[in-house]
């Protein structure tokens, strides 16, 4: 017989059974093997899910001496359903044998041929219900007996009024007697007065039907009235009751008895109310129910989170594979240094550059051994700067590596970043290395070419400048003012061309390591003044104001520092409108001299300021398109300042202007 398209498979049926609020289990074979059990049934047994697949008598051995195994085997043999209510069972829960009571059913499940293939076991724990019923029966019997005593006392009220009143007033439960159809409060004890929050004289002979002086919840008043009209008692358990008070309404829970009081002619006299406060018990039960629901919801949420985490892990693994493929394809070396343990690790390519096998451990000494001696100090300085407190943690340096077994060193570009704790102490230092030997060799060849061309261009420019000066002198003698001005402009352009060629030549020398510093002591304030005079000869469009510092002596390459100052002034002129002030300031701060050149120009955006000192970098916008330049002046200035152990930077506000700074160490006496 074909399975209907919309029928459930076994897995779906078991999943549905697991959600049942009743304890549910499925057994197979005459040996009663546990094929399935939901969490409720397993908790009844006091076990965990490892019992699935075991025989019931082995999984729950305390059942061997009880009738349940035999009953299950009988159901298997006969196919007859067995039901039981209030059946006691002894189970070991939390390591302790305890008695419980269950309502349960053993039902044989048959196939189309009438053969039994499993037994469905459903059960409900009625232990607490039995205990509650026993307590209730005991209470009802006690309260019924009390009611009989009260009725008997009422029959002989004239003789024992004091005794009856004392019995009611000192009863351990709240009691009141309502008289007649008006339900007037004729008698009330201390417990009831405590519930109402009233004194006896405030309620005696007051009708509970009076809505202007409410004592009882209106819903309960209707029930009491019905008891009076029908003569049938009312019993309520954990009844939510709103108790009116002068300032608010208080909600509590009571076990209630509304008992009709009859005279000897079986006529209704009134209604006796007996109330037991069970608020704490009811609230505790509600909290347990709420907690159970929250726990179920939390479990469902955790299951969903677990599925998401599984999916995330698979995605991470996929991306790890992609990243590893990219790293291998790009021939990148990966390194990681734990600064707490000083443990160094890396990928196979990084280890191969150190002459180590993939399985070999790495030490810092292995790395230091292969760094070229000419670059050792350079690399060490970059590492110290990256690990310095309050630094950016960035590490970006190029150096030569002597790889074991290779005759020539390789050029390596290393990038990394340090991470710091909350106290700004470095914890970890990691990054990448890339072989840039081919690119470096191309740059060296290019720099050699630029240097050669620049050197060759200087000779004709020198001659051109000389002839221009001779012609300018002759024009002055002949008082040919037009020629004088034209030749002056030619001289200015030749000077600019010479400066540009010198810049290219210096870059070529710098990157090939052929540039040398000729340091000597001189007064920095005097050098700045000289540069300002020379700049004023070349520009008549801007006012230059110098705020000097006291005479300060530095030890540096005077010509190269002069080129830095000239470049700062030249940029201030180029990038600020005509007529604007250029301010040059010299200051001494601790053991350094700081020079700042401030303009009132277009300003620089933050993203451009971070790259302004890179080689050939220029700000690109509508204002800079018409300003000539190759982006080498600031790069060369930065390299000169760094070679003097100084710092260079810019502070700028777009639209308001920029201030370029550099520092130099003071001369040591």
């Amino acid at each position: 017989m074909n399975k209907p398209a919309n029928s459930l498979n076994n897995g779906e049926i078991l999943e549905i059974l697991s959600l049942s609020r009743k304890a549910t289990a499925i057994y197979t074979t005459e040996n009663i093997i546990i094929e399935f059990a939901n969490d409720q049934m397993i908790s009844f047994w006091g076990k965990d899910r490892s019992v699935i697949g075991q025989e019931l008598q082995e999984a729950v051995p305390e059942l061997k001496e009880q009738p349940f195994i035999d009953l299950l085997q009988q159901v298997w043999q006969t196919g007859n359903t067995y039901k039981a209510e209030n059946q006691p069972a002894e189970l070991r829960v939390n390591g302790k044998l305890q008695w419980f009571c269950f309502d349960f059913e053993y039902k044989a499940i048959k196939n189309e041929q009438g053969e039994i293939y499993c037994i469905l076991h459903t059960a409900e724990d009625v232990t607490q219900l039995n205990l509650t019923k026993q307590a209730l029966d005991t209470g009802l019997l006690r309260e019924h007996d009390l009611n009989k005593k009260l009725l008997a006392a009422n029959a002989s009220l004239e003789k024992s009024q004091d005794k009856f009143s004392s019995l009611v007033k000192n009863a351990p439960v709240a009691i009141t007697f309502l008289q007649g159809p008006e339900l007037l409060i004729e008698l009330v004890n201390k417990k009831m007065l405590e519930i109402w929050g009233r004194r006896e004289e405030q309620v005696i002979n007051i009708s509970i039907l009076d809505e202007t002086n409410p004592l009882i919840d209106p819903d309960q008043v209707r029930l009491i009235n019905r008891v009076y009209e029908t003569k049938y008692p009312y019993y309520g358990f954990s009844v939510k009751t709103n108790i009116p008070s002068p300032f608010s309404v208080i909600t509590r829970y009571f076990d209630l008895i509304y008992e009709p009081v009859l005279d000897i002619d079986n006529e209704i006299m009134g209604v006796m109310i007996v109330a037991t406060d069970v608020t704490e018990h009811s609230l505790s039960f509600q909290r347990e129910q709420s907690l159970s629901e929250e726990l179920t919801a939390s479990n469902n949420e955790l299951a969903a989170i677990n599925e998401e985490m599984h999916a995330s892990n698979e995605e991470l693994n996929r991306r790890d594979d992609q990243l590893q493929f990219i790293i291998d394809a790009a021939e990148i070396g990966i390194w990681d240094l734990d600064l707490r343990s000083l443990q160094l690790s890396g990928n196979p390519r990084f280890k191969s550059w150190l002459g180590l096998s993939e399985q070999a451990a790495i030490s810092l000494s292995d790395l230091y051994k292969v760094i070229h001696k000419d670059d050792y100090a350079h690399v060490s300085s970059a590492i110290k700067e990256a690990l310095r407190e309050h630094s950016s943690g960035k590490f970006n340096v190029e150096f030569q590596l002597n790889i074991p077994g290779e005759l020539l060193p390789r050029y390596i570009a290393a990038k990394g970043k340090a991470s710091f704790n909350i106290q700004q102490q470095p914890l970890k230092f990691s990054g990448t290395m890339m072989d840039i030997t081919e690119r470096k060799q191309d740059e060296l060849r290019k720099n050699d070419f630029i240097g050669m061309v620049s050197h060759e261009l200087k000779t004709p420019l020198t001659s051109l400048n000389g002839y221009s000066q001779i012609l300018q002198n002759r024009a002055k003698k002949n008082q040919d003012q037009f020629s004088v001005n034209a030749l002056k402009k030619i001289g200015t352009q030749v000077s600019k061309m010479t400066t540009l060629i010198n810049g290219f030549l210096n870059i070529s020398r710098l990157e090939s390591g052929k540039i040398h510093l000729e340091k000597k002591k001189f007064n920095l304030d005097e050098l700045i003044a000289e540069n300002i005079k020379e700049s004023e000869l070349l520009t008549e469009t801007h006012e230059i104001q110098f705020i000097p510092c006291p005479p300060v002596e530095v030890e540096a390459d005077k010509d190269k520092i002069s080129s830095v100052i000239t470049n700062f002034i030249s940029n201030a002129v180029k990038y600020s409108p005509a007529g604007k002030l250029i301010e040059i300031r010299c200051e001494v701060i601790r053991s350094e001299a700081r020079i700042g050149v401030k303009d009132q120009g277009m300003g620089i955006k933050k993203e451009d300021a971070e790259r302004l000192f890179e080689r050939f970098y220029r700000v690109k916008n509508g204002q800079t398109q018409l300003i000539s330049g190759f982006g080498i002046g600031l790069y060369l200035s930065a390299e000169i300042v760094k070679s003097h152990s100084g710092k260079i930077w810019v502070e700028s506000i777009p639209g308001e202007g920029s201030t370029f700074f550099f520092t130099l160490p003071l001369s040591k006496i």
Side-chain angles (χ1 to χ4, degrees):
M1 184 175 181
N2 293 330
K3 181 181 177 183
N6 61 350
S7 63
L8 301 174
N9 59 39
N10 291 339
E12 291 170 335
I13 293 172
L14 291 178
E15 185 176 356
I16 292 170
L17 288 174
S18 70
L19 298 174
S20 172
R21 297 185 67 180
K22 278 191 174 185
T24 305
I26 296 175
Y27 311 112
T28 57
T29 80
E30 193 173 355
N31 293 330
I32 315 301
I33 294 175
I34 303 169
E35 190 70 20
F36 166 83
N38 67 0
D39 293 342
Q40 187 73 6
M41 182 65 78
I42 289 175
S43 69
F44 284 175
W45 294 337
K47 309 299 179 183
D48 56 33
R49 301 205 69 81
S50 63
V51 302
I52 303 298
Q54 299 184 31
E55 292 184 15
L56 180 60
Q57 62 180 352
E58 299 301 324
V60 191
E62 54 267 34
L63 296 180
K64 290 181 180 179
E65 305 300 326
Q66 300 181 61
F68 304 101
I69 304 297
D70 292 337
L71 288 172
L72 284 165
Q73 290 174 339
Q74 288 178 20
V75 170
W76 186 273
Q77 294 165 0
T78 65
N80 296 328
T81 298
Y82 181 87
K83 291 185 177 180
E85 294 182 356
N86 239 353
Q87 179 71 39
E90 189 176 28
L91 296 169
R92 185 178 299 277
V93 178
N94 297 326
K96 181 180 178 183
L97 282 172
Q98 303 177 47
W99 282 99
F100 299 89
C101 289
F102 296 95
D103 290 346
F104 67 91
E105 180 183 79
Y106 297 155
K107 185 170 184 176
I109 307 300
K110 302 177 182 179
N111 59 21
E112 293 179 350
Q113 290 76 34
E115 298 171 341
I116 299 171
Y117 64 91
C118 71
I119 295 175
L120 176 63
H121 174 195
T122 58
E124 187 174 1
D125 186 350
V126 295
T127 307
Q128 191 62 41
L129 181 60
N130 283 341
L131 294 175
T132 303
K133 287 179 67 177
Q134 290 174 13
L136 180 60
D137 290 343
T138 302
L140 290 175
L141 288 173
R142 184 171 63 250
E143 291 163 1
H144 188 65
D145 182 63
L146 179 60
N147 190 38
K148 285 182 177 180
K149 290 179 181 179
L150 290 173
L151 292 174
N154 188 50
S156 57
L157 186 59
E158 294 179 359
K159 296 180 180 180
S160 57
Q161 182 69 39
D162 292 341
K163 183 178 180 180
F164 174 75
S165 298
S166 176
L167 178 64
V168 172
K169 289 183 178 181
N170 294 303
V173 292
I175 300 173
T176 187
F177 176 69
L178 307 177
Q179 175 69 38
E182 296 84 4
L183 299 176
L184 299 174
I185 300 171
E186 184 176 303
L187 182 68
V188 63
N189 72 349
K190 294 178 181 178
K191 287 286 184 182
M192 188 63 80
L193 290 171
E194 289 175 2
I195 292 172
W196 289 340
R198 306 291 177 87
R199 298 190 303 275
E200 186 174 2
E201 61 269 20
Q202 291 177 310
V203 299
I204 290 297
N205 295 324
I206 298 296
S207 173
I208 65 166
L209 302 176
D210 184 1
E211 295 180 358
T212 63
N213 187 25
L215 293 170
I216 299 178
D217 189 323
D219 292 335
Q220 299 304 315
V221 171
R222 285 191 287 271
L223 287 173
I224 296 168
N225 206 30
R226 186 185 304 167
V227 170
Y228 187 87
E229 292 171 353
T230 63
K231 299 182 184 179
Y232 286 108
Y234 166 80
Y235 303 97
F237 306 103
S238 293
V239 178
K240 182 179 179 181
T241 306
N242 295 319
I243 304 170
S245 73
F247 305 105
S248 63
V249 175
I250 301 171
T251 300
R252 298 192 71 79
Y253 294 83
F254 294 93
D255 286 345
L256 297 173
I257 300 175
Y258 299 154
E259 187 76 30
V261 179
L262 308 176
D263 61 14
I264 56 176
D265 298 321
N266 205 35
E267 293 295 329
I268 187 76
M269 296 171 56
V271 178
M272 180 72 70
I273 298 177
V274 180
T276 304
D277 192 338
V278 293
T279 302
E280 292 302 322
H281 173 76
S282 295
L283 293 178
S284 176
F285 179 75
Q286 291 176 18
R287 284 193 293 269
E288 290 176 2
Q289 287 292 102
S290 176
L291 184 61
S292 177
E293 292 173 0
E294 290 178 5
L295 186 59
T296 301
S298 296
N299 286 336
N300 293 337
E301 187 176 349
L302 285 172
I305 292 172
N306 188 48
E307 290 181 3
E308 291 179 4
M309 290 181 63
H310 180 70
S312 297
N313 285 336
E314 289 184 345
E315 178 65 15
L316 284 173
N317 290 334
R318 185 183 67 81
R319 293 190 177 187
D320 283 346
D321 292 341
Q322 289 180 342
L323 179 61
Q324 188 58 50
F325 176 80
I326 292 170
I327 290 172
D328 292 340
E331 300 183 350
I332 295 174
I334 307 293
W335 52 272
D336 182 85
L337 175 62
D338 187 330
L339 296 169
R340 291 168 295 189
S341 62
L342 294 180
Q343 292 295 314
L344 181 64
S345 58
N347 69 345
R349 187 170 302 279
F350 176 71
K351 290 183 177 181
S352 69
W353 286 346
L354 305 185
L356 302 173
S357 65
E358 290 187 17
Q359 295 76 27
I362 315 172
S363 66
L364 284 174
S365 60
D366 293 324
L367 176 60
Y368 291 138
K369 285 177 184 176
V370 295
I371 296 175
H372 194 281
K373 59 181 177 54
D374 292 343
D375 293 324
Y376 189 89
H378 175 50
V379 174
S380 296
S381 176
I383 293 174
K384 289 178 182 178
E385 175 60 25
L387 301 181
R388 180 176 55 82
E389 185 179 359
H390 297 296
S391 74
S392 66
K394 292 182 180 179
F395 174 70
N396 188 357
V397 66
E398 295 180 0
F399 58 92
Q400 297 177 79
L401 207 63
N402 293 317
I403 296 178
E406 295 186 7
L407 296 177
L408 298 175
R410 290 195 194 184
Y411 286 92
I412 299 294
K415 290 189 176 183
K417 196 170 191 310
S419 58
F420 299 80
N421 62 15
I422 195 170
Q423 288 82 30
Q424 284 298 306
Q425 296 171 329
L427 299 178
K428 197 173 183 181
F429 192 35
S430 55
T432 62
M433 287 186 180
M434 182 176 289
D435 188 341
I436 58 167
T437 303
E438 186 174 347
R439 189 195 80 189
K440 203 70 177 177
Q441 289 174 346
D442 287 342
E443 287 181 359
L444 290 174
R445 285 190 288 268
K446 178 193 67 179
N447 289 335
D448 288 343
F449 175 75
I450 291 173
M452 179 186 68
V453 171
S454 299
H455 183 75
E456 293 299 321
L457 286 174
K458 285 184 71 178
T459 301
L461 280 175
T462 302
S463 299
L464 182 61
N465 189 46
Y467 287 126
S468 173
Q469 290 177 357
I470 292 171
L471 290 174
Q472 189 174 356
N473 290 332
R474 287 184 178 181
K476 285 180 181 180
K477 289 180 180 179
N478 297 329
Q479 296 183 349
D480 185 353
Q481 192 60 40
F482 173 80
S483 297
V484 171
N485 293 336
L487 290 167
K488 184 177 180 181
K489 290 179 180 179
I490 290 173
T492 300
Q493 296 304 316
V494 169
S495 178
K496 287 182 179 180
M497 182 66 75
T498 303
T499 301
L500 184 62
I501 290 173
N502 285 336
F504 279 120
L505 190 58
N506 285 332
I507 288 177
S508 173
R509 291 170 178 170
L510 179 70
E511 295 186 347
S512 62
K514 296 177 181 178
I515 192 168
H516 299 287
L517 300 179
E518 296 181 5
K519 292 185 178 182
K520 59 183 178 181
K521 293 181 180 180
F522 60 90
N523 286 335
L524 183 61
D525 53 311
E526 294 177 359
L527 177 64
I528 296 172
E530 291 173 7
N531 285 119
I532 292 173
K533 287 181 180 179
E534 292 176 3
S535 298
E536 286 175 336
L537 294 174
L538 298 175
T539 179
E540 299 175 353
T541 58
H542 293 73
E543 178 186 353
I544 302 176
Q545 180 181 0
F546 180 37
I547 303 174
C549 54
V552 54
E553 188 176 67
V554 296
E555 186 174 1
D557 188 314
K558 187 175 181 180
D559 291 339
K560 291 182 175 56
I561 297 301
S562 176
S563 70
V564 174
I565 298 170
T566 301
N567 181 259
F568 276 17
I569 297 173
S570 174
N571 283 345
V573 171
K574 282 199 297 184
Y575 292 99
S576 62
K580 293 294 184 178
L581 176 68
I582 296 172
E583 180 182 287
I584 303 174
R585 184 183 297 269
C586 176
E587 300 174 286
V588 175
I589 301 175
R590 292 183 290 276
S591 60
E592 292 181 328
R594 186 173 76 177
I595 297 88
V597 178
K598 180 179 180 181
D599 63 53
Q600 299 177 21
M602 63 186 69
I604 304 165
K605 294 180 180 178
K606 182 180 179 182
E607 55 268 27
D608 289 319
E610 293 174 351
R611 301 189 57 193
L612 205 57
F613 298 98
E614 294 180 9
R615 185 179 57 173
F616 303 132
Y617 183 82
R618 295 196 71 213
V619 177
K620 295 180 181 179
N621 57 42
Q623 295 173 295
T624 61
Q625 287 180 350
L626 301 177
I627 301 175
S628 63
F630 290 95
I632 61 173
L634 288 177
Y635 167 72
L636 187 59
S637 296
E639 294 300 319
I640 291 171
V641 170
K642 290 176 184 177
S643 67
H644 284 80
S645 301
K647 290 179 286 187
I648 188 169
W649 72 98
V650 62
E651 296 176 2
S652 182
I653 301 175
E656 296 185 16
S658 308
T659 304
F660 284 81
F661 295 95
F662 76 92
T663 64
L664 289 174
L666 296 179
S667 175
K668 296 180 181 179
I669 299 175

